[in-house]
Amino acid sequence: MALAAKLQLRQSQALVMTPQLMQSIRLLQFTHAELERFIDDEIERNPLLERRADEDDRPEPEAEPTPEREADGETEWFASDLDHNAERLSDRLDSSLENLYPDDPGIRDRLSPDLSLTWKSAMGSGGSAGEGFDLEDIAAAAVTLRDSLTEQIAFGFTEPLHRIIASELADSLDDSGYLRDDPAELAARLGVEASILETVLAACQNFDPPGLFARSLSECLAIQLKRLNRLDPAMRALLDNLDLLARRDFAALRRLCGVDEGDLIDMLGEIRALDPKPGAGFAGQGAETIVPDVIVRAAPDGTWAVELNPETLPRVLVDQTYLARVSAGARSSADKEFLSDCVQSASWLTRSLDQRARTIVKVASEIVRQQDAFLMNGIRHLRPLNLKTVAEAIQMHESTVSRVTANKYMQTPRGVFELRFFFTAAIASAEGGDAHSAQSVRHRIRQMIDEERASDVLSDDAIVDILKKSGIDIARRTVAKYREGMNIPSSVQRRREKRAMAGAI
């Protein structure tokens, strides 16, 4: 059979992940704050987009200046209120005076003799025009861990590659200052040799406060002891056996460290003086306020009303008036192409936001339908639920439901919960009935422990027996895992604490 080249037409269907489709998928998992930042960026790039202002947010018309006001020595620009001055001045100049005249520091005083008095009267503690303000009264911004490390990285490394690696290591620290990511994985991600990353990591471990960039508690304490020149072989042996210290097995520690009881007590005193969380002393990064995306209310007919929170709805419109005006003036092909791209991007954004809102309501409504017993009767009636069940009920893909429920919150009559809270594993029923939610089982375990007395502390086996009598088939190791996850000590520790409290009383 001879081979020959020929042309054929073939028609097929395929799903193409365009950049706009990928961005639409990202919009689903944005939090309210992330969505607002994204919309601000789009408005900055696209002149056809604008935020829709509520009636209450619209600015009041400004009063026109009158001859009487000018005769009294008041200028049009400067009033007694500093905030009003700054706002009106920025509206006129679209910049600050220092940006317009960077080489003339006295421009403020020449423009208005009263401006310096205005600043003093607004910022001074006494409130009179003749008094100045103290810079010490202005609170300085709190220094975060990232701010401190950025400054130390700038002075600690001269090569740009080492600075990049150090910055990546700093981004991988948790709030306590520990390096939780695997250095080998970080090296592979950055495309550098592991030895180079280890060298940079060793240099970063010399930063202040000592103990940062440690990969474990033992290494954190070792870094601090090394800085104090106290990391001898006995102390090293103690750090390698911190589990024995947690169990208070002092006999084994004396044997492993090769010290007597007095030396061990001194070593433990040095350990107590160290900081196990060196990064916790810095200011936090500023936690964002949780704003519920969905509000659930009881309807008059006995059902639940599910609606989006109006405060989280992005108000974005396409300025049709401006579009008509610029379209009439577009002459060149480049202008027309740019305008077409802006129209397409603006239309896509408004449609994507509308689809995002519809999808959130759809998923939230199904969650409410599945967890109706929880909303009515409390956490003990929380049903087992997974993403697949919700996805099949609303005929969506499981990954879509996963994105919608990420970092979204629902306000219910029983409080504000993350949407992921309603998805819990199933624990089989001992009597062959409906399965129980893992969240409700945790609640029962905590409730039983809270109600126990000093003379009748429940062991994990006793909790298993009680749960099985109430129809919950659960293993002892599962009870222990749930108990430890809720930071509840063992029965032996609880009995000891209750006896100590009873003796103190």
Side-chain angles (χ1 to χ4, degrees):
M1 182 177 178
L3 297 177
K6 57 182 179 180
L7 297 176
Q8 288 183 342
L9 293 178
R10 183 175 300 173
Q11 189 176 18
S12 62
Q13 292 182 344
L15 178 62
V16 179
M17 291 289 290
T18 63
Q20 289 185 342
L21 179 59
M22 295 175 64
Q23 191 64 67
S24 298
I25 294 174
R26 285 186 59 205
L27 283 180
L28 287 175
Q29 60 190 20
F30 276 170
T31 64
H32 170 62
E34 292 172 341
L35 183 63
E36 289 295 324
R37 287 193 290 266
F38 172 78
I39 291 175
D40 289 339
D41 293 340
E42 288 296 316
I43 292 176
E44 186 177 352
R45 286 194 292 263
N46 194 335
L48 301 182
L49 289 173
E50 65 173 359
R51 285 192 180 272
R52 182 180 63 197
D54 295 336
E55 294 295 332
D56 298 338
D57 297 337
R58 294 180 181 176
E60 297 181 359
E62 297 180 0
E64 295 293 331
T66 61
E68 290 78 12
R69 293 180 60 188
E70 295 184 359
D72 292 338
E74 293 179 345
T75 65
E76 179 187 0
W77 285 5
F78 306 108
S80 60
D81 186 5
L82 177 62
D83 293 335
H84 186 57
N85 280 336
E87 183 178 352
R88 297 183 63 183
L89 190 61
S90 61
D91 289 342
R92 280 185 166 271
L93 299 179
D94 195 26
S95 181
S96 64
L97 295 176
E98 290 81 357
N99 290 338
L100 291 175
Y101 306 96
D103 298 327
D104 192 350
I107 187 64
R108 281 188 176 273
D109 295 332
R110 291 208 307 277
L111 280 178
S112 172
D114 297 333
L115 181 60
S116 59
L117 298 180
T118 304
W119 274 90
K120 293 177 182 178
S121 62
M123 299 298 290
S125 57
S128 62
E131 296 179 358
F133 64 91
D134 191 354
L135 291 177
E136 295 180 356
D137 294 336
I138 303 177
V143 179
T144 64
L145 176 61
R146 192 67 178 88
D147 296 335
S148 175
L149 292 177
T150 300
E151 182 178 355
Q152 295 183 70
I153 289 172
F155 288 99
F157 298 96
T158 57
E159 296 187 16
L161 176 60
H162 290 178
R163 289 184 178 179
I164 294 174
I165 297 174
S167 298
E168 188 69 19
L169 290 171
D171 290 337
S172 302
L173 297 183
D174 61 9
D175 294 338
S176 299
Y178 285 83
L179 181 64
R180 297 304 184 186
D181 293 347
D182 185 10
E185 294 180 0
L186 284 174
R189 190 168 71 218
L190 295 174
V192 298
E193 296 181 3
S195 59
I196 297 178
L197 189 137
E198 289 290 344
T199 301
V200 175
L201 176 59
C204 290
Q205 289 180 346
N206 293 321
F207 288 170
D208 291 322
L212 295 177
F213 294 92
R215 287 158 285 189
S216 63
L217 175 60
S218 175
E219 186 176 19
C220 176
L221 301 178
I223 293 172
Q224 299 178 54
L225 290 170
K226 185 177 180 181
R227 185 79 65 91
L228 298 172
N229 198 22
R230 284 292 298 123
L231 190 60
D232 53 25
M235 192 67 78
R236 170 62 70 182
L238 176 60
L239 296 180
D240 292 340
N241 297 276
L242 290 178
D243 55 334
L244 297 178
L245 179 58
R247 295 200 300 265
R248 306 182 69 84
D249 191 352
F250 300 125
L253 285 175
R254 287 198 302 270
R255 185 176 65 258
L256 291 172
C257 298
V259 296
D260 57 18
E261 184 175 354
D263 290 337
L264 182 61
I265 292 175
D266 293 339
M267 293 168 63
L268 295 180
E270 294 183 45
I271 293 292
R272 276 192 212 97
L274 303 177
D275 187 1
K277 297 180 179 180
F282 289 86
Q285 299 297 327
E288 296 178 346
T289 304
I290 293 179
V291 180
D293 301 87
V294 181
I295 299 177
V296 178
R297 297 186 180 94
D301 59 354
T303 60
W304 298 102
V306 181
E307 60 183 13
L308 288 176
N309 186 358
E311 297 181 4
T312 62
L313 286 176
R315 300 173 176 86
V316 181
L317 293 176
V318 180
D319 192 344
Q320 298 293 343
T321 304
Y322 181 72
L323 173 60
R325 186 165 67 249
V326 297
S327 298
R331 295 290 183 268
S332 64
S333 58
D335 293 342
K336 293 180 179 179
E337 183 179 358
F338 172 75
L339 191 59
S340 176
D341 292 339
C342 290
V343 171
Q344 183 180 3
S345 176
S347 301
W348 160 81
L349 180 59
T350 54
R351 288 197 306 267
S352 297
L353 293 175
D354 180 67
Q355 183 62 38
R356 176 183 183 270
R358 294 175 184 271
T359 305
I360 292 176
V361 171
K362 199 171 185 179
V363 173
S365 299
E366 180 61 24
I367 292 176
V368 169
R369 191 184 71 83
Q370 295 280 353
Q371 302 293 359
D372 174 72
F374 161 75
L375 297 175
M376 292 291 294
N377 304 309
I379 194 170
R380 296 190 64 173
H381 298 269
L382 190 67
R383 292 181 52 191
L385 186 64
N386 53 38
L387 297 174
K388 184 178 180 181
T389 302
V390 174
E392 291 177 351
I394 61 178
Q395 297 182 352
M396 286 186 177
H397 197 272
E398 189 174 340
S399 62
T400 302
V401 177
S402 176
R403 291 186 177 93
V404 170
T405 55
N407 303 315
K408 308 289 191 309
Y409 292 85
M410 178 188 294
Q411 178 179 318
T412 71
R414 297 196 172 273
V416 178
F417 301 94
E418 189 178 5
L419 293 184
R420 290 288 177 90
F421 167 82
F422 299 98
F423 296 89
T424 60
I427 297 179
S429 173
E431 300 173 355
D434 294 336
H436 300 270
S437 166
Q439 196 70 254
S440 64
V441 173
R442 289 191 187 95
H443 175 72
R444 292 193 185 189
I445 293 174
R446 176 177 287 279
Q447 194 175 40
M448 284 188 290
I449 293 176
D450 290 341
E451 295 174 354
E452 65 187 6
R453 299 184 301 272
S455 59
D456 187 20
V457 175
L458 299 174
S459 64
D460 292 343
D461 290 323
I463 294 175
V464 170
D465 294 336
I466 295 174
L467 292 176
K468 285 187 176 180
K469 290 178 181 178
S470 61
I472 301 176
D473 187 10
I474 189 171
R476 180 188 178 279
R477 63 178 179 275
T478 306
V479 171
K481 182 180 71 173
Y482 288 172
R483 176 178 54 75
E484 293 171 356
M486 293 183 289
N487 295 322
I488 298 176
S490 64
S491 59
V492 176
Q493 292 174 301
R494 298 200 307 273
R495 186 178 296 108
R496 185 181 303 147
E497 291 173 359
K498 291 180 183 296
R499 288 177 178 175
M501 292 176 59
I505 295 175

